[in-house]
Amino acid sequence: YNPLWGWYGRVQYTHPTGAPGCDHFGLNYYSRGLMDWKLQAVANPCEVMTDMPYALWAEGMFDALDGIKELDVPIYITETGCADKGDDVRPIMIESYFSAIEEARRRKYNLRGVLYWSLVDNFEWAFGYTMKFGVYGS
């Protein structure tokens, strides 16, 4: 149980005129956090772990979009991707996450765009240049 999530999930804003509180919504989605009793990142036996300490969780992408659609504003997925130095997890991630995105589009969610993270590798604050997010790498 994360008490912060309970607080965050209850944040609501209603404009006095009834208009949405924003012009659009940007979603950064990578996965869920799953930890063992020592607070180490883990994956269930059937899940695929990325090089970052999280497993792929495409269901969460759809769940996030499903909740955001209630805002009735355009949705942009501003970040999604995975660290994968061997390029064996990335195709699974793209196929499963984009299947969730396609399902949201099929259900007529107001999803306007997806920005994949990232074209090239980048500096990660906690890991430096060790994580390979880029689809085009050196």
Side-chain angles (χ1 to χ4, degrees), residues 83-113:
D84 179 23
K85 67 178 172 261
D87 285 328
D88 52 346
V89 174
R90 188 171 290 111
I92 299 167
M93 178 268 164
I94 291 171
E95 184 176 332
S96 62
Y97 281 43
F98 278 77
S99 289
I101 292 165
E102 288 172 2
E103 178 62 19
R105 293 288 298 157
R106 189 184 69 71
R107 294 186 187 198
K108 307 292 187 206
Y109 292 10
N110 194 3
L111 180 59
R112 302 284 182 91

Coordinates of all heavy atoms in Angstrom, one line a residue, residues 83-113:
A83 N 14.6 0.3 -21.3 CA 16.0 0.2 -21.4 C 16.3 -1.3 -21.7 O 15.8 -2.2 -21.1 CB 16.7 0.5 -20.1
D84 N 17.1 -1.5 -22.8 CA 17.3 -2.9 -23.3 C 18.6 -3.0 -24.1 O 18.6 -2.8 -25.3 CB 16.1 -3.3 -24.1 CG 16.2 -4.7 -24.7 OD1 17.0 -5.5 -24.1 OD2 15.6 -5.0 -25.7
K85 N 19.7 -3.2 -23.4 CA 21.0 -3.2 -24.1 C 21.1 -4.4 -25.1 O 21.8 -4.3 -26.1 CB 22.1 -3.3 -23.1 CG 22.2 -4.6 -22.3 CD 23.4 -4.5 -21.3 CE 23.4 -5.7 -20.4 NZ 22.9 -5.4 -19.1
G86 N 20.3 -5.5 -24.9 CA 20.4 -6.6 -25.9 C 19.4 -6.5 -27.0 O 19.4 -7.4 -27.9
D87 N 18.5 -5.5 -27.0 CA 17.5 -5.4 -28.0 C 16.6 -6.6 -28.1 O 16.0 -6.9 -29.2 CB 18.0 -5.0 -29.3 CG 18.4 -3.5 -29.4 OD1 17.8 -2.7 -28.7 OD2 19.4 -3.2 -30.1
D88 N 16.4 -7.4 -27.0 CA 15.5 -8.5 -27.1 C 14.2 -8.3 -26.4 O 13.2 -8.9 -26.7 CB 16.2 -9.8 -26.5 CG 16.8 -9.6 -25.2 OD1 17.0 -8.5 -24.7 OD2 17.1 -10.6 -24.5
V89 N 14.2 -7.3 -25.5 CA 12.9 -7.0 -24.7 C 12.2 -5.9 -25.5 O 10.9 -5.9 -25.4 CB 13.3 -6.5 -23.3 CG1 12.1 -6.0 -22.5 CG2 13.9 -7.7 -22.5
R90 N 12.9 -5.0 -26.1 CA 12.2 -3.8 -26.8 C 11.1 -4.2 -27.8 O 10.0 -3.6 -27.7 CB 13.3 -2.9 -27.5 CG 12.7 -1.6 -28.0 CD 13.8 -0.7 -28.5 NE 14.5 -0.2 -27.3 CZ 15.8 -0.5 -27.1 NH1 16.5 -1.3 -27.9 NH2 16.4 0.0 -26.0
P91 N 11.3 -5.2 -28.6 CA 10.2 -5.6 -29.5 C 9.0 -6.1 -28.8 O 7.9 -5.8 -29.2 CB 10.8 -6.7 -30.4 CG 12.3 -6.5 -30.3 CD 12.6 -5.9 -28.9
I92 N 9.2 -6.8 -27.7 CA 8.1 -7.3 -26.9 C 7.3 -6.1 -26.3 O 6.1 -6.0 -26.3 CB 8.5 -8.2 -25.8 CG1 9.2 -9.4 -26.4 CG2 7.4 -8.6 -24.8 CD1 10.0 -10.3 -25.4
M93 N 8.1 -5.1 -25.8 CA 7.5 -3.9 -25.2 C 6.7 -3.1 -26.2 O 5.6 -2.8 -26.0 CB 8.6 -3.0 -24.6 CG 8.2 -1.7 -24.0 SD 8.2 -0.4 -25.3 CE 7.2 0.8 -24.5
I94 N 7.3 -2.9 -27.4 CA 6.6 -2.1 -28.4 C 5.3 -2.8 -28.9 O 4.3 -2.2 -29.0 CB 7.5 -1.9 -29.6 CG1 8.7 -0.9 -29.2 CG2 6.8 -1.4 -30.8 CD1 9.8 -0.7 -30.2
E95 N 5.4 -4.1 -29.1 CA 4.2 -4.9 -29.5 C 3.1 -4.8 -28.5 O 1.9 -4.6 -28.8 CB 4.6 -6.3 -29.9 CG 3.4 -7.1 -30.4 CD 3.8 -8.5 -30.9 OE1 4.9 -8.7 -31.2 OE2 2.9 -9.4 -30.8
S96 N 3.5 -5.1 -27.2 CA 2.4 -5.2 -26.2 C 1.9 -3.8 -25.8 O 0.7 -3.6 -25.6 CB 3.0 -5.9 -24.9 OG 4.1 -5.2 -24.4
Y97 N 2.8 -2.8 -25.7 CA 2.3 -1.5 -25.3 C 1.5 -0.8 -26.4 O 0.4 -0.2 -26.2 CB 3.5 -0.6 -24.9 CG 4.0 -0.8 -23.5 CD1 4.2 -2.1 -23.0 CD2 4.3 0.3 -22.7 CE1 4.7 -2.3 -21.8 CE2 4.8 0.1 -21.4 CZ 5.0 -1.2 -21.0 OH 5.5 -1.4 -19.7
F98 N 1.9 -1.0 -27.6 CA 1.1 -0.4 -28.7 C -0.2 -1.2 -29.0 O -1.1 -0.6 -29.5 CB 2.0 -0.3 -30.0 CG 2.9 0.9 -30.0 CD1 4.0 1.0 -29.2 CD2 2.5 2.1 -30.7 CE1 4.8 2.1 -29.1 CE2 3.2 3.2 -30.6 CZ 4.4 3.3 -29.8
S99 N -0.2 -2.4 -28.6 CA -1.5 -3.1 -28.6 C -2.5 -2.5 -27.7 O -3.7 -2.3 -28.0 CB -1.4 -4.6 -28.3 OG -0.7 -5.3 -29.3
A100 N -2.0 -2.1 -26.5 CA -2.9 -1.4 -25.5 C -3.3 -0.1 -26.1 O -4.5 0.4 -25.9 CB -2.1 -1.2 -24.2
I101 N -2.4 0.6 -26.7 CA -2.7 1.9 -27.3 C -3.7 1.8 -28.4 O -4.7 2.5 -28.6 CB -1.4 2.6 -27.8 CG1 -0.5 3.0 -26.7 CG2 -1.7 3.8 -28.7 CD1 0.9 3.3 -27.0
E102 N -3.6 0.7 -29.3 CA -4.5 0.5 -30.3 C -5.9 0.2 -29.8 O -6.9 0.6 -30.4 CB -4.0 -0.7 -31.2 CG -2.9 -0.4 -32.1 CD -2.3 -1.6 -32.8 OE1 -2.8 -2.7 -32.6 OE2 -1.3 -1.4 -33.5
E103 N -6.0 -0.5 -28.7 CA -7.3 -0.8 -28.0 C -7.9 0.5 -27.6 O -9.1 0.6 -27.7 CB -7.1 -1.8 -26.9 CG -8.4 -2.1 -26.1 CD -9.4 -2.8 -26.9 OE1 -9.1 -3.4 -28.0 OE2 -10.6 -2.7 -26.5
A104 N -7.1 1.4 -27.0 CA -7.7 2.7 -26.6 C -8.2 3.4 -27.8 O -9.3 4.0 -27.8 CB -6.6 3.5 -25.9
R105 N -7.5 3.4 -28.9 CA -8.0 4.1 -30.1 C -9.2 3.4 -30.7 O -10.1 4.1 -31.1 CB -6.9 4.1 -31.2 CG -5.6 4.9 -30.9 CD -5.9 6.4 -30.9 NE -6.2 6.7 -32.3 CZ -6.9 7.8 -32.6 NH1 -7.3 8.6 -31.7 NH2 -7.2 8.1 -33.9
R106 N -9.3 2.1 -30.6 CA -10.4 1.3 -31.1 C -11.7 1.7 -30.3 O -12.8 1.8 -30.8 CB -10.2 -0.2 -31.0 CG -11.3 -1.0 -31.6 CD -11.0 -2.5 -31.4 NE -11.2 -2.9 -30.0 CZ -12.4 -3.0 -29.4 NH1 -13.5 -2.7 -30.1 NH2 -12.5 -3.4 -28.2
R107 N -11.5 2.0 -29.0 CA -12.6 2.4 -28.1 C -12.9 3.9 -28.2 O -13.6 4.5 -27.4 CB -12.3 2.0 -26.7 CG -12.3 0.5 -26.5 CD -12.1 0.2 -25.1 NE -11.9 -1.2 -24.9 CZ -12.1 -1.8 -23.7 NH1 -12.5 -1.1 -22.6 NH2 -11.9 -3.1 -23.6
K108 N -12.2 4.6 -29.2 CA -12.5 6.0 -29.4 C -12.0 7.0 -28.3 O -12.5 8.0 -28.2 CB -13.9 6.3 -29.7 CG -14.5 5.4 -30.8 CD -14.0 5.7 -32.2 CE -14.7 5.0 -33.2 NZ -14.0 4.7 -34.4
Y109 N -10.9 6.6 -27.6 CA -10.3 7.5 -26.6 C -9.7 8.6 -27.4 O -9.2 8.4 -28.5 CB -9.3 6.8 -25.8 CG -9.8 5.7 -24.8 CD1 -11.1 5.3 -24.9 CD2 -9.0 5.2 -23.9 CE1 -11.6 4.3 -24.0 CE2 -9.4 4.2 -23.0 CZ -10.7 3.8 -23.1 OH -11.1 2.8 -22.2
N110 N -9.6 9.8 -26.9 CA -9.1 11.0 -27.5 C -7.6 11.0 -27.5 O -7.0 12.0 -27.0 CB -9.7 12.2 -26.9 CG -9.5 13.4 -27.8 OD1 -9.0 13.4 -28.9 ND2 -10.0 14.6 -27.3
L111 N -7.0 9.9 -28.0 CA -5.5 9.8 -27.9 C -5.0 10.4 -29.2 O -5.3 9.9 -30.3 CB -5.1 8.3 -27.8 CG -3.7 8.0 -27.8 CD1 -3.0 8.7 -26.6 CD2 -3.5 6.5 -27.6
R112 N -4.1 11.4 -29.1 CA -3.7 12.1 -30.3 C -2.3 11.8 -30.8 O -1.9 12.0 -31.9 CB -3.7 13.6 -30.0 CG -5.1 14.2 -29.6 CD -6.0 14.3 -30.9 NE -7.3 14.8 -30.5 CZ -7.6 16.1 -30.5 NH1 -6.7 17.0 -30.9 NH2 -8.8 16.5 -30.2
G113 N -1.4 11.2 -29.9 CA -0.1 10.9 -30.3 C 0.7 10.2 -29.2 O 0.3 10.1 -28.1

